[in-house]
Amino acid sequence: MRRLACLLAILAGLYAATPAAADESGFLEPLNGSWTGTGKVLRKIGSPPIDVSCGFNISAPGTSISMKGNCRGLLIISRAISAQLTARGNRYSGTYTGPSGATSQLSGSRQGDVINLAVNWARLVNGDRDANMTIRRQDSGQLTLRTIDKDLTSGKSIITSEINLRRQ
């Protein structure tokens, strides 16, 4: 009888965990498609911001998301950017490849309409390897990508990139 109770408890736990994955596919699926927009990027903390225009193709089958695109700044500079994330429940992990071409690690979770990610840069950026990234879905047609880093001199958090995208 005790074994049956334990087995039922394990099965109930597995069954209860299943909707969390379904919830993430429901959150991610509306992100499928082409997105374009503009924003500002700091090459390093303390430098003037650079205006950028970006375009992304997003594929979000099931509980994963792949973002591939380009951002153009200073009229002539174009850089490829990509991110791949996989959700397990509301926890996310994956990689980000930025303008330098180096692949960094991402991990975090979703709260409401925002995926909050810790970034572990592949190399030193602004004096360390740590930053935060958010992917915010405002509605089915707007998305904001933001990176926040710490100014090691002042200790303040600085938005180092913010790109506002609209579905095409």
Side-chain angles (χ1 to χ4, degrees), residues 6-159:
C6 286
L7 181 59
L8 289 174
I10 291 170
L11 290 174
L14 291 173
Y15 180 74
T18 302
D23 287 346
E24 292 312 297
S25 66
F27 176 79
L28 294 172
E29 185 179 337
L31 301 179
N32 275 310
S34 296
W35 298 76
T36 60
T38 60
K40 295 190 180 291
V41 174
L42 297 179
R43 292 194 328 171
K44 66 179 185 172
I45 290 177
S47 68
I50 298 170
D51 291 326
V52 295
S53 60
C54 303
F56 287 92
N57 286 316
I58 298 177
S59 174
T63 58
S64 66
I65 183 171
S66 173
M67 304 172 68
K68 295 182 181 180
N70 285 303
C71 287
R72 180 180 301 272
L74 301 174
L75 299 174
I76 57 171
I77 299 172
S78 182
R79 297 284 190 253
I81 298 172
S82 66
Q84 284 74 40
L85 292 169
T86 300
R88 288 177 186 83
N90 75 335
R91 302 286 307 162
Y92 285 78
S93 62
T95 59
Y96 167 78
T97 304
S100 72
T103 300
S104 303
Q105 299 301 307
L106 301 172
S107 64
S109 62
R110 178 171 69 89
Q111 296 174 329
D113 286 338
V114 181
I115 301 172
N116 296 295
L117 300 164
V119 181
N120 185 287
W121 297 121
R123 60 179 180 78
L124 288 178
V125 175
N126 294 310
D128 66 7
R129 294 183 186 267
D130 301 317
N132 295 300
M133 182 181 293
T134 60
I135 302 170
R136 177 183 302 271
R137 189 181 82 181
Q138 279 95 334
D139 59 35
S140 63
Q142 293 182 326
L143 191 63
T144 298
L145 311 175
R146 181 182 288 166
T147 306
I148 302 163
D149 207 345
K150 185 173 277 188
D151 180 352
L152 296 179
T153 304
S154 70
K156 293 181 181 179
S157 293
I158 307 291
I159 297 172

